Amino acid sequence: MSPAPTVLVHSTADLVAHACAARLVTRIVNSQAARGTASVVLTGGGIGTQVLAALNSSPARDAIDWRRLDVYWGDERFVPASDDERNERQAREALLDQVDIDPSRVHPMDAADGPGGGDPEAAAQRYADLLASRSTPDDHGPVPRFDVLMLGLGPEGHTASIFPDSPAARDKGTVVAVHDCPKPPPTRISLTFRSLQTAEDVWMIASGESKAEAVARALGGADPVQVPAAGAVGRTRTLWMLDEAAASQLPSSLRPR
Ligand code: 6PG
């Protein structure tokens, strides 16, 4: 049973992004010191990309050994590789193209014009196969035990590309194709809860008043099928990093002391 989430609240979205970036450096460096390697799962969305830009501008950025880091994505928009909507493209612009990362250890999900031939189900299966190929006996399953998996959430409670009351929220596999998403683009590839919950640390990052209700519902014990952000739970640690606006509907019992 993983411990209860830790909730951290900072005054602004910018401070959340920089605080998360600082925490990410430390977490990756610690993993690399302990295991000789580290793995991180990135999220799309505004605040998720802000974290990467904050990490890129951090004086501590290169404390990370970029040659010993595996980078995955929690979800991806199923659009052509050159489309600015691609989470991978935004992550490369914000950070990955600025550091000496080992390109063989960057694992994007297929683009719509990629090898899967434009079939999102085939692309989801390919990513599931990749995850299975990267897992070790110590992972005890078909998904690597990621060190840190970052997520955002939507106003109605989606996380990654798992939307409320959707097939993805009930999927028992590891990676799923998602159609008719309420948040454009409509077709996506997403890790499932089973994969998200394999991570040692799950960090939910949110800012803005529009997320406040979903944050309160997710932390207040909602059913993850109805509020998928409630399913953002790490094996060892679950951290919610919020700005004051996103935390504004949290009861005092759920706010940091
Ligand atoms: C995506 C994301 C999605 C995002 C949330 C929050 O690909 O769109 O993975 O889950 O994290 O919708 O996005 P914002 O931070 O832009 O509100």
Side-chain angles (χ1 to χ4, degrees):
M1 177 70 179
S2 65
T6 299
V7 178
L8 300 175
V9 180
H10 298 293
S11 53
T12 66
D14 192 52
L15 202 47
V16 169
H18 282 283
C20 183
R23 188 176 290 271
L24 193 55
V25 171
T26 301
R27 184 67 178 76
I28 291 171
V29 168
N30 287 348
S31 296
Q32 291 178 335
R35 301 189 299 117
T37 186
S39 58
V40 61
V41 181
L42 305 184
T43 179
I47 192 75
T49 305
Q50 269 183 266
V51 169
L52 303 185
L55 175 49
N56 186 47
S57 66
S58 165
R61 184 191 77 178
D62 293 340
I64 292 170
D65 181 344
W66 294 99
R67 307 299 293 181
R68 294 188 299 157
L69 179 68
D70 282 299
V71 175
Y72 301 87
W73 274 266
D75 74 331
E76 184 58 275
R77 292 86 177 272
F78 197 63
V79 293
S82 62
D83 191 316
D84 287 340
E85 282 293 307
R86 284 274 296 174
N87 291 335
E88 175 202 3
R89 187 177 173 85
Q90 294 178 30
R92 287 185 184 279
E93 286 173 7
L95 174 65
L96 301 181
D97 286 352
Q98 327 304 329
V99 293
D100 182 29
I101 199 159
D102 180 345
S104 72
R105 298 183 69 166
V106 178
H107 311 290
M109 294 173 170
D110 283 353
D113 55 356
D119 174 356
E121 276 69 18
Q125 186 55 56
R126 282 166 51 84
Y127 209 69
D129 294 345
L130 168 90
L131 294 177
S133 73
R134 307 285 304 177
S135 70
T136 68
D138 290 342
D139 296 323
H140 301 293
V143 175
R145 280 194 185 189
F146 310 116
D147 290 301
V148 184
L149 185 145
M150 293 188 286
L151 291 168
L153 86 164
E156 85 299 328
H158 81 259
T159 195
S161 288
I162 305 173
F163 287 81
D165 204 18
S166 66
R170 295 181 172 84
D171 193 281
K172 301 302 180 199
T174 56
V175 187
V176 65
V178 184
H179 301 271
D180 306 320
C181 287
K183 175 181 181 181
T187 307
R188 294 156 172 253
I189 312 296
S190 183
L191 298 189
T192 62
F193 286 134
R194 178 181 177 189
S195 296
L196 300 182
Q197 293 167 0
T198 300
E200 293 297 340
D201 283 27
V202 169
W203 298 359
M204 176 65 76
I205 313 145
S207 64
E209 191 71 40
S210 70
K211 309 297 176 70
E213 181 185 352
V215 167
R217 292 176 67 201
L219 286 172
D223 171 1
V225 172
Q226 302 309 321
V227 184
V233 176
R235 306 175 78 89
T236 306
R237 184 171 202 196
T238 305
L239 191 56
W240 284 63
M241 285 177 266
L242 310 170
D243 69 355
E244 281 292 354
S248 59
Q249 293 187 27
L250 278 182
S252 54
S253 58
L254 288 175
R255 288 184 67 95
R257 297 275 179 270

